[in-house]
Amino acid sequence: MVNKVQEYGNTVLTQSLPNQIPNLLESKPVLQIWGKQPLQGQVRISGAKNSALVLMTGALLASEPCRLHNVPALADIKSMGDILSALGVKLSLDGNTLDIDARHISETQAPYELVSQLRASFFALGPLLARTGVAQMPLPGGCAIGARPVELHVRGLQQMGADIYIEHGVVRAHARRLKGAKIYLDYPSVGATETLMMAATLADGTTTIKNAAQEPEVEDLANFCRALGANIFGAGTNTITIEGVSKLHGADYRIIPDRIEAGTFLVAGAITRSEIQIAPVVPEHLIPVIAKLREIGVQVVADAPDCLRVLPAPMYRGADIETRPHPGFPTDMQALFMTLLTISEGNSVISETVFENRLGHVPELLRMGADIRIKGNHAFIQGVPQLSGAPVTGTDLRASAALVVAALAAEGKTTIQGLQHLDRGYDGIEHKLLKLGAQIERIVPEIPTDIGIPLPL
Ligand code: EPZ
């Protein structure tokens, strides 16, 4: 079947108007899941969201068109496409292949109403400034999991000679040409590392970034930039060196598989005590996740270099988790593992050290019968024999995924609201789960005609 080619541009912009004031009577779709269905078969993992998004901003560096393969079909990808087209970039999506033509950048400020919906769009600041000498990016603001400041991005660009000031909530940056600099990041921020690495590819001279983020998505971005003709060394370690060049050409590049989606399905197999295969994956991207699963008692075996199989066990043991920058345990997997630990024997402690407010899934898991106490950014979990289905609401992307996984294991029916979060980061999750044998459906509940307010006789 020929995929519908989705053109970004005005039509899409009009479609992606800011969220309308929620119509209280408007009924939003929900997921209904009947738990305790064993899963079987193989699930296909999509391209990595956190790689695709930053590679899209990286295409701003190129003076020739680029083509990205294995782009996941996600709301965030569409939002990023809207933002780039607002800058004058031409995009064309055909299935999972995205053509990006940034030869003619006509705008240097992305619209606030789009940036506020997608924090990752702030990553465009560095490449836009490096390519055009001017960039104006609304401050993205916080989100459910934290304040999400960006001072490390700004400070690093200033060290590269950018003249930056913040006015009316917009970061305004100018630089005739950025200069190579020696940068030390106070914290190994993924976004700051990516912003500065991209900016440095077109700077005059050599840039080193010390205490750089080592996430696989940073390495994927470096490989993409190298495909454009950039000179980058050390990506994936805590010290990255970039020798600036004057111009970058186009590239045809395939995005890595999504390690967090892969981890999500590993946990789904474990918690439903099912044997399922997950592919394609890059096993070394999942080392902390696989190690923790094995500590809990879940068997994970490699059926092929890019295929993992999860084998259930009759009993899971509690474990302690502390989220850390890569290669530590990934914060994006914290909510998913908390769900697994709620039905593991004994006590577990989870410490969320990366984001200040990423325990929003706990109240919802409590509604499903979990035994969890929060003290600061620590969650103390006492394993229970069984979760029970309930109406719950997702508060952020990974919290919503954790509720889906909890529902798969729970006794009875669970109804999950807040799907706008889930759709940002999971490409067709209910179709993939249906294919594995889960009892799941997305419905739009009837609007109750009697809205429960007694009318005067
Ligand atoms: C990226 O966010 C990911 N998003 C996040 O994934 C992921 O959780 C995070 O990295 C950590 O791995 C994308 O790649 C689009 P950070 P990012 O800068 O770059 C603080 C998901 O669910 N910080 O490494 O924003 C910050 O407040 C999402 O897919 C500063 O203080 O993360 C946070 O506490 C969620 N100042 C910590 O660093 C700064 O200038 C880690 O943030 C920048 C960050």
Side-chain angles (χ1 to χ4, degrees):
M1 180 184 82
V2 174
N3 285 310
K4 178 179 166 306
V5 174
Q6 174 175 322
E7 295 295 336
Y8 289 90
N10 291 333
T11 46
V12 176
L13 273 177
T14 48
Q15 286 162 6
S16 60
L17 288 173
N19 283 330
Q20 308 295 343
I21 296 167
N23 169 353
L24 297 183
L25 283 182
E26 180 189 305
S27 193
K28 291 193 182 304
V30 299
L31 278 184
Q32 283 188 323
I33 298 173
W34 288 264
K36 301 190 76 61
Q37 299 294 322
L39 307 180
Q40 61 180 13
Q42 180 175 104
V43 61
R44 175 155 192 73
I45 300 301
S46 301
K49 165 181 85 83
N50 291 346
S51 188
L53 289 172
V54 71
L55 265 64
M56 288 172 76
T57 64
L60 289 166
L61 296 164
S63 306
E64 293 169 6
C66 295
R67 172 164 287 183
L68 296 179
H69 299 275
N70 201 28
V71 176
L74 301 171
D76 275 6
I77 298 293
K78 179 174 170 300
S79 301
M80 184 64 87
D82 291 349
I83 288 159
L84 293 181
S85 63
L87 299 173
V89 176
K90 298 277 175 276
L91 301 103
S92 172
L93 180 64
D94 186 1
N96 299 106
T97 300
L98 178 62
D99 286 326
I100 307 177
D101 181 352
R103 281 178 290 184
H104 310 295
I105 296 174
S106 54
E107 293 295 330
T108 57
Q109 175 162 348
Y112 171 70
E113 67 274 8
L114 294 179
V115 171
S116 62
Q117 289 182 29
L118 176 63
R119 296 195 70 269
S121 52
F122 192 76
F123 299 173
L125 178 70
L128 197 54
L129 179 61
R131 176 81 190 283
T132 67
V134 182
Q136 303 170 86
M137 195 57 69
L139 280 167
C143 69
I145 63 177
R148 314 293 293 272
V150 290
E151 86 286 349
L152 295 176
H153 303 236
V154 172
R155 209 183 298 154
L157 291 172
Q158 288 171 324
Q159 283 183 260
M160 297 172 75
D163 173 21
I164 302 187
Y165 62 99
I166 298 176
E167 181 188 50
H168 308 307
V170 176
V171 176
R172 300 186 192 282
H174 298 82
R176 185 182 307 281
R177 189 178 181 194
L178 293 168
K179 294 188 298 299
K182 292 189 185 317
I183 298 168
Y184 172 81
L185 292 178
D186 287 349
Y187 185 90
S189 154
V190 172
T193 302
E194 293 171 339
T195 289
L196 299 173
M197 184 169 74
M198 288 190 284
T201 59
L202 291 175
D204 179 12
T206 298
T207 298
T208 52
I209 304 171
K210 289 215 176 288
N211 198 28
Q214 305 178 55
E215 273 69 3
E217 293 76 25
V218 173
E219 214 171 339
D220 205 31
L221 174 63
N223 291 334
F224 170 64
C225 291
R226 271 201 286 267
L228 299 176
N231 299 316
I232 301 176
F233 313 93
T237 74
N238 62 10
T239 301
I240 303 177
T241 302
I242 307 103
E243 291 164 1
V245 296
S246 55
K247 202 170 181 182
L248 292 171
H249 50 69
D252 188 304
Y253 190 82
R254 184 172 187 78
I255 289 162
I256 55 172
D258 193 315
R259 63 189 167 106
I260 306 301
E261 185 190 22
T264 300
F265 279 98
L266 286 171
V267 172
I271 205 169
T272 56
R273 302 192 194 280
S274 310
E275 179 175 335
I276 59 172
Q277 280 186 319
I278 291 108
V281 296
V282 179
E284 51 268 26
H285 294 169
L286 286 157
I287 289 172
V289 169
I290 294 169
K292 196 52 73 175
L293 283 172
R294 287 175 173 158
E295 183 187 336
I296 293 169
V298 182
Q299 287 183 66
V300 181
V301 298
D303 284 351
D306 69 347
C307 177
L308 294 176
R309 182 157 44 99
V310 57
L311 293 156
M315 187 275 286
Y316 297 137
R317 297 179 294 276
D320 294 346
I321 291 176
E322 189 167 281
T323 63
R324 289 280 169 209
H326 195 77
F329 186 89
T331 174
D332 294 350
M333 286 301 304
Q334 178 258 107
L336 280 305
F337 270 74
M338 185 182 292
T339 301
L340 181 58
L341 290 171
T342 65
I343 54 119
S344 300
E345 300 234 330
N347 300 316
S348 305
V349 182
I350 293 185
S351 302
E352 172 53 65
T353 74
V354 176
F355 288 105
E356 67 267 29
N357 188 34
R358 201 171 198 179
L359 298 173
H361 40 287
V362 171
E364 302 306 303
L365 290 173
L366 293 177
R367 290 173 51 73
M368 299 180 74
D371 180 349
I372 309 169
R373 283 180 306 110
I374 293 181
K375 267 183 170 322
N377 66 343
H378 305 280
F380 298 86
I381 301 142
Q382 171 69 41
V384 295
Q386 176 74 53
L387 292 177
S388 62
V392 290
T393 303
T395 50
D396 62 79
L397 168 56
R398 306 302 173 184
S400 303
L403 295 176
V404 170
V405 163
L408 293 172
E411 182 71 49
K413 181 174 109 173
T414 299
T415 304
I416 303 176
Q417 299 187 62
L419 301 191
Q420 71 278 13
H421 299 296
L422 197 63
D423 295 340
R424 289 188 47 212
Y426 287 90
D427 184 351
I429 191 167
E430 69 258 36
H431 305 300
K432 293 183 179 179
L433 286 170
L434 266 173
K435 200 160 162 260
L436 291 175
Q439 250 197 294
I440 181 171
E441 62 176 346
R442 182 181 291 237
I443 62 161
V444 180
E446 290 295 309
I447 300 174
T449 44
D450 159 18
I451 53 179
I453 300 170
L455 301 175
L457 290 176

